[in-house]
Amino acid sequence: KDYEKTPPRRTAGSFVDVTGKPYVEVDTFVPQFDEIGVLPPIGRWDPLQIREQGPERYRRFVEMEIKHGRLAMAAFLGVITTYSGIRWPGYLSLAEGIKFSDLPGGAIASWAALPTSAWLQIVLFISFLEVYALKQDPEKDPGDVVPEGVAWARYPDGYDVWLGDGSTKQVGEDELFLGKTWKLNAERNN
């Protein structure tokens, strides 16, 4: 073999990204775990540098991340439910004579079987929730969208845990903090 015709090996220092800054070697990456939702092994991964664009913009992205994650979880449960054969009783559309039981299971098949008017209703309902009913209050934590006076807590201040042997245990302050942190990490990383 002729090794002299082999192109020279390129290093990370020989490449330049679109901003004109040289690439950083992977070895020099130090992961940062400084906030909720930032987990090993990657740490804080922000290739678009949204965090550096200001706290208001970053908070908006955190709110959207939580909201989209919740919507995706609800959609997944809807697909699993319909795929397992569970349907509402009655008609989906009286005008078109479509019963809930007529819809096929699965994501794409049930999506394609819905009439356009049903999709319009879904979009209007979610838009109403987004703009009016579950609007994010800037004074509350991101994702805490329940209006005042509604008996619901995102992460309760204290509760009993069932231990499996029939007994319960009151959650302490340290465990409560770790539980909230675990739940927030799970919510941010869905």
Side-chain angles (χ1 to χ4, degrees):
K1 293 185 176 183
D2 189 4
Y3 292 103
E4 292 181 58
K5 292 184 179 178
T6 305
R9 185 172 171 255
R10 294 189 165 228
T11 63
S14 64
F15 291 101
V16 175
D17 72 4
V18 294
T19 63
K21 299 176 187 171
Y23 281 116
V24 178
E25 287 284 347
V26 175
D27 307 47
T28 61
F29 175 71
V30 178
Q32 297 175 336
F33 309 106
D34 57 348
E35 66 180 79
I36 297 292
V38 177
L39 300 173
I42 296 175
R44 187 181 341 123
W45 188 68
D46 188 12
L48 300 177
Q49 298 179 343
I50 295 169
R51 188 179 177 89
E52 283 77 31
Q53 296 174 11
E56 295 85 15
R57 183 165 169 80
Y58 180 70
R59 179 185 163 100
R60 177 68 180 138
F61 274 87
V62 169
E63 292 168 1
M64 288 189 302
E65 179 182 26
I66 291 171
K67 202 172 283 189
H68 292 153
R70 289 176 178 170
L71 194 60
M73 289 185 281
F76 173 77
L77 288 176
V79 167
I80 295 298
T81 303
T82 57
Y83 196 73
S84 66
I86 300 171
R87 306 286 195 281
W88 293 105
Y91 283 87
L92 171 71
S93 173
L94 286 172
E96 297 187 29
I98 301 172
K99 292 183 177 182
F100 284 103
S101 60
D102 295 339
L103 287 181
I108 304 300
S110 62
W111 176 68
L114 280 177
T116 306
S117 59
W119 280 110
L120 180 62
Q121 290 174 15
I122 291 170
V123 169
L124 288 174
F125 178 69
I126 291 175
S127 299
F128 171 78
L129 292 177
E130 171 81 19
V131 175
Y132 297 107
L134 300 175
K135 186 175 181 178
Q136 176 69 53
D137 183 358
E139 301 299 318
K140 294 183 177 180
D141 291 334
D144 190 0
V145 295
V146 177
E148 294 296 326
V150 176
W152 180 81
R154 182 173 177 203
Y155 302 111
D157 293 331
Y159 51 90
D160 292 335
V161 175
W162 182 66
L163 298 177
D165 60 358
S167 63
T168 58
K169 173 187 171 190
Q170 180 69 29
V171 176
E173 284 297 317
D174 292 340
E175 294 166 315
L176 188 61
F177 176 75
L178 291 174
K180 284 183 181 181
T181 304
W182 181 85
K183 289 175 185 175
L184 284 167
N185 279 327
E187 193 169 30
R188 291 276 308 270
N189 287 293
N190 271 327

